[in-house]
Amino acid sequence: MLIKGLDMPGWAEIDERRGRLYIMSWSAMRHGRRANGWVRVVERSVPSQELGFLVREALAQSGTDVPMVNFQDPAQSPMTPLLDAAGVKSYQGYARSMRACLIDFDDVQQRFLIRPTRNESRDGLVDLPDAQIWLPATANDAEVGEAVLQGIKRSIGRSTGVRRGSGVDAAKV
């Protein structure tokens, strides 16, 4: 199964949080990207083929030149479905205990880029370029799912030993 006839780029994020995977679709605005409200949640033990299918679905939901919304209004915020699915009140609460992997579909070069990240409290998600995985657009669902699971494994969550605002690692004190 190929994505949208491979004629458009796509973006997705897969977060591992408390034994579950949160699969989100992202869309492009005039100045950057943002979640678009499409979210699916599965157990971490999901078969690779099913995960790959959900990643393709998330990428297919991506849009370009989408309008800005009022993130303060829960009815408009594309983050509301994610927060509801995770049972948290804020993205900060959600992000505290997650590892994230970003997936880009390059429609020009016909390939997937799986981008593991490091979750830093101040800087948000930081790419780990040396850990990236490239796959051709012809990869099947199981191959996409396996690569995403490898990307999650290579991603780094927030350190639990750092006290907020102190800059001191409590584990070393």
Side-chain angles (χ1 to χ4, degrees):
M1 175 175 138
L2 301 177
I3 303 167
K4 294 186 267 185
L6 299 175
D7 59 349
M8 289 182 62
W11 307 275
E13 178 178 337
I14 313 299
D15 299 337
E16 180 182 40
R17 184 177 188 276
R18 300 182 177 175
R20 301 177 94 189
L21 297 177
Y22 294 80
I23 302 127
M24 294 171 282
S25 177
W26 286 71
S27 289
M29 300 180 303
R30 180 168 289 145
H31 303 290
R33 296 185 193 114
R34 67 165 168 82
N36 60 29
W38 187 96
V39 176
R40 298 295 183 271
V41 183
V42 294
E43 295 300 316
R44 173 68 171 85
S45 59
V46 65
S48 296
Q49 185 170 352
E50 183 179 340
L51 179 58
F53 175 80
L54 290 170
V55 167
R56 287 180 190 278
E57 207 175 316
L59 293 167
Q61 296 299 316
S62 296
T64 56
D65 203 23
V66 298
M68 180 55 87
V69 297
N70 179 355
F71 282 86
Q72 301 302 318
D73 179 359
Q76 289 186 42
S77 176
M79 295 307 290
T80 298
L82 172 66
L83 301 179
D84 289 348
V88 295
K89 295 179 183 179
S90 70
Y91 182 76
Q92 291 75 19
Y94 173 83
R96 245 180 247 122
S97 60
M98 72 156 187
R99 290 191 305 171
C101 182
L102 307 173
I103 297 92
D104 300 341
F105 180 74
D106 182 334
D107 60 321
V108 174
Q109 295 189 17
Q110 299 288 293
R111 62 186 182 174
F112 298 93
L113 170 60
I114 289 82
R115 298 185 295 135
T117 65
R118 181 177 53 248
N119 184 348
E120 294 185 357
S121 57
R122 289 193 179 136
D123 297 323
L125 300 176
V126 177
D127 276 344
L128 300 173
D130 293 341
Q132 292 179 348
I133 302 166
W134 292 95
L135 285 178
T138 56
N140 65 36
D141 288 347
E143 292 167 328
V144 171
E146 232 359 91
V148 168
L149 289 172
Q150 282 300 312
I152 288 287
K153 188 183 274 187
R154 294 176 184 184
S155 295
I156 301 167
R158 277 194 199 166
S159 172
T160 57
V162 177
R163 290 184 290 191
R164 193 182 320 206
S166 70
V168 176
D169 186 339
K172 295 181 181 176
V173 176

